[in-house]
Amino acid sequence: MSRRSVSRKKLESYLQEVDVFDNPKMQLEQYPTTPHLAASMLHTIHTHFNDLEGKCVADLGVGSGVLSLGCSMLGCSYVLGVDIDPEALAICANNISEFDITNIDLLHCDIRSLVNHPGRLHGAFDVVVMNPPFGTKNNQGIDMLFLQAGLALARTSVYSLHKTSTREHILRTAKQCGVEAEVVARLEFDLANTLWCHKSESVDIKVDFYRFSHKT
């Protein structure tokens, strides 16, 4: 497979084969990133910003690995997937094995520990990608902790999804952190009925796709 020639549609078809959670944990807001959304995000990062091919990438809240796998398919040199849930990491490891991909490693770690004490991971990655928990259940503010961790780990840019309703807060936080924030696209997150608290079959949540970049 020529990584340069992978179209968005082809990438989405590959990501359709990624196994997701059988029993997602509500407290961790384990909503899988759909293949369509992941392909749209990653293809934009790849073609518009040239921020994947040959790059060292961290995927925070890796889950089942759809973003990490997509990054690898688009030619990144290395990916580190980070997650607090060992069961999610096991699913991700199986997906990596099924795709026979060798440049993805996984780390069992609480994102909160990376905010103020990133250690050797500080500035170790060109790019961070993530679809963080929105913090709408039991973890208010967790999305901002993910963003802070991403900014600590990335040398150049962080790509992330956040609810459109929080845009003013996100932009204000980015300014306080001294980074540039750009809303690359306005998307809809198709939240399927996977948890016991869901009443509808699916809900479309309006989200902003951001690029955060360190000022030079």
Side-chain angles (χ1 to χ4, degrees):
M1 175 175 64
S2 173
R3 289 169 172 172
R4 284 181 178 272
S5 65
V6 178
S7 67
R8 188 205 59 77
K9 186 175 181 180
K10 192 67 175 177
L11 179 63
E12 182 176 343
S13 72
Y14 290 140
L15 298 180
Q16 293 279 1
E17 304 302 317
V18 176
D19 290 334
V20 296
F21 304 107
D22 290 327
N23 298 294
K25 297 178 175 66
M26 185 179 68
Q27 69 272 22
L28 297 179
E29 297 187 51
Q30 290 179 330
Y31 311 134
T33 309
T34 66
H36 175 74
L37 189 60
S40 297
M41 290 173 59
L42 296 176
H43 199 259
T44 297
I45 297 170
H46 179 56
T47 58
H48 288 257
F49 299 101
N50 192 29
D51 259 349
L52 286 183
E53 187 164 4
K55 305 294 185 179
C56 183
V57 178
D59 178 0
L60 304 187
V62 63
S64 59
V66 65
L67 291 177
S68 289
L69 290 161
C71 286
S72 180
M73 293 172 187
L74 290 173
C76 72
S77 61
Y78 175 76
V79 185
L80 178 67
V82 181
D83 208 289
I84 194 174
D85 182 16
E87 294 179 9
L89 291 172
I91 295 171
C92 186
N94 185 67
N95 282 323
I96 294 168
S97 177
E98 288 294 318
F99 278 92
D100 196 26
I101 286 176
T102 59
N103 66 338
I104 301 176
D105 286 331
L106 300 176
L107 174 65
H108 181 215
C109 179
D110 188 333
I111 290 298
R112 284 174 273 245
S113 69
L114 299 177
V115 174
N116 297 315
H117 305 286
R120 291 181 298 173
L121 297 182
H122 186 275
F125 302 90
D126 298 303
V127 175
V128 169
V129 298
M130 57 185 181
N131 176 17
F134 294 145
T136 55
K137 292 296 180 183
N138 302 317
N139 297 304
Q140 290 189 359
I142 190 67
D143 54 338
M144 292 296 93
L145 290 176
F146 267 78
L147 177 56
Q148 291 173 42
L151 292 171
L153 270 57
R155 288 189 291 270
T156 57
S157 52
V158 175
Y159 294 89
S160 184
L161 292 175
H162 299 272
K163 291 177 69 173
T164 299
S165 61
T166 66
R167 183 183 300 165
E168 184 177 336
H169 177 59
I170 298 290
L171 294 176
R172 183 169 59 249
T173 300
K175 185 176 181 179
Q176 292 170 349
C177 292
V179 297
E180 302 284 355
E182 175 186 358
V183 179
V184 177
R186 296 166 178 81
L187 306 169
E188 286 194 347
F189 192 102
D190 182 15
L191 186 59
N193 186 344
T194 55
L195 299 173
W196 64 266
C197 61
H198 292 162
K199 306 301 182 184
S200 303
E201 184 173 331
S202 67
V203 176
D204 289 332
I205 298 176
K206 295 185 184 304
V207 296
D208 290 339
F209 174 37
Y210 285 90
R211 182 180 194 261
F212 301 94
S213 55
H214 290 287
K215 295 179 180 179
T216 57

